Amino acid sequence: MRLVIEHSTVYRYTVPQTYTIQQLRLTPRKEPHQQVLSWQIASPGQRHALVDAFGNESHMLTLAGPHTEVRIVASGSVEVEPPPGGRLADAGPLSPLVFTVPTRFTQPDDAIIEFAWRHLPRNPGSHQLLALADALAGTVSYQPGATAVSTTAADAMRLRQGVCQDQAHLFLACCHALGIPGRYVSGYIYPGDQPHAASHAWVDVWAEEPGFAGWVSIDVTHTRFADASLCRLAIGRDYESAAPIRGVRRGGGAETMEVKVDVTH
């Protein structure tokens, strides 16, 4: 599937800012099943290209001097082949053990540990991991506005509501409870007739089964293996390490953010 993507983010400030620095993870990953056909980023200020610790193509954006708005637009087209059964061909340069360490977002509490033991065997295969996604989606319903960007997996389990970010964090917390490597994926989805947003988050989980040992990509929200509707931007331990845009500013005042993402094919 060829996905055509436009992602616009606009920050506005009530008083002029003197300095802004942001890390942009807005370039789709180059992977065996995903080919970037064209891609460009437009922004003010200076951008410095880099590759982060997880192999994500990134830019460091800096703006010096008074500014009351920052507008960032990433756009292009990506060809995606469905990874068979969600299996990714490239295991990557990092040991999967890097992704067994809980973060503040994915730290399992007693309720999550009990849930994980109830729904996962010790060495689960890909279909058992998909069954965990189904159980989580049935327990924590998709509800925009129910949570915030700072919501943890434990918070979402208590609320029984959340968005794709929360469902991904919960899945990872369950994996961490059993010592199973799991990593967060940020990106885009062609939504079709689904009510979910075009920005999306899902997971990769390490599976070892006959004929395969590696990462299996699972869309927890839609309880299915990753398919050609998903474009991968970045991977990390959680939202913080894979967020499309994160940064700080100097200048005070209030901030508003407007995001618009269009994905067509």
Side-chain angles (χ1 to χ4, degrees), residues 34-241:
Q34 177 172 289
Q35 180 184 2
V36 180
L37 304 178
S38 64
W39 199 260
Q40 50 277 328
I41 299 174
S43 73
Q46 300 294 317
R47 293 195 311 273
H48 172 69
L50 67 145
V51 176
D52 72 11
F54 300 107
N56 303 310
E57 293 192 34
S58 308
H59 291 84
M60 195 64 70
L61 171 66
T62 56
L63 289 87
H67 55 279
T68 57
E69 178 182 290
V70 180
R71 183 181 299 268
I72 304 164
V73 180
S75 60
S77 60
V78 181
E79 188 80 32
V80 183
E81 295 287 337
R87 294 177 172 183
L88 303 181
D90 184 4
L94 297 176
S95 165
L97 296 178
V98 169
F99 299 98
T100 60
V101 181
T103 70
R104 69 185 184 94
F105 282 111
T106 65
Q107 181 68 48
D109 63 2
D110 289 343
I112 292 173
I113 293 169
E114 189 276 331
F115 190 94
W117 279 108
R118 182 154 39 95
H119 291 281
L120 276 180
R122 171 60 73 175
N123 297 300
S126 56
H127 286 279
Q128 292 165 315
L129 292 161
L130 185 62
L132 171 65
D134 187 60
L136 281 172
T139 301
V140 179
S141 61
Y142 183 88
Q143 185 59 53
T147 55
V149 70
S150 58
T151 300
T152 67
D155 293 335
M157 181 64 91
R158 284 191 291 271
L159 290 168
R160 294 292 196 269
Q161 292 180 327
V163 293
C164 54
Q165 171 184 316
D166 305 302
Q167 293 170 327
H169 282 156
L170 262 170
F171 189 100
L172 296 177
C174 288
C175 290
H176 294 328
L178 274 66
I180 300 167
R183 61 192 189 188
Y184 186 98
V185 187
S186 66
Y188 305 112
I189 185 171
Y190 171 64
D193 58 359
Q194 297 292 320
H196 303 133
S199 293
H200 201 41
W202 61 101
V203 300
D204 295 338
V205 59
W206 190 266
E208 296 186 5
E209 50 197 352
F212 179 77
W215 294 108
V216 175
S217 200
I218 294 176
D219 182 346
V220 183
T221 301
H222 298 102
T223 64
R224 66 192 184 197
F225 294 121
D227 58 21
S229 69
L230 295 175
C231 171
R232 298 162 66 87
L233 268 183
I235 60 172
R237 287 194 175 106
D238 58 15
Y239 168 78
E240 280 191 329
S241 56

Side-chain angles (χ1 to χ4, degrees), residues 6-10 72-74 188 198-199 258-262:
E6 182 169 292
H7 180 177
S8 170
T9 306
V10 182
I72 304 164
V73 180
Y188 305 112
S199 293
E258 178 184 346
V259 178
K260 183 179 180 182
V261 180
D262 289 316

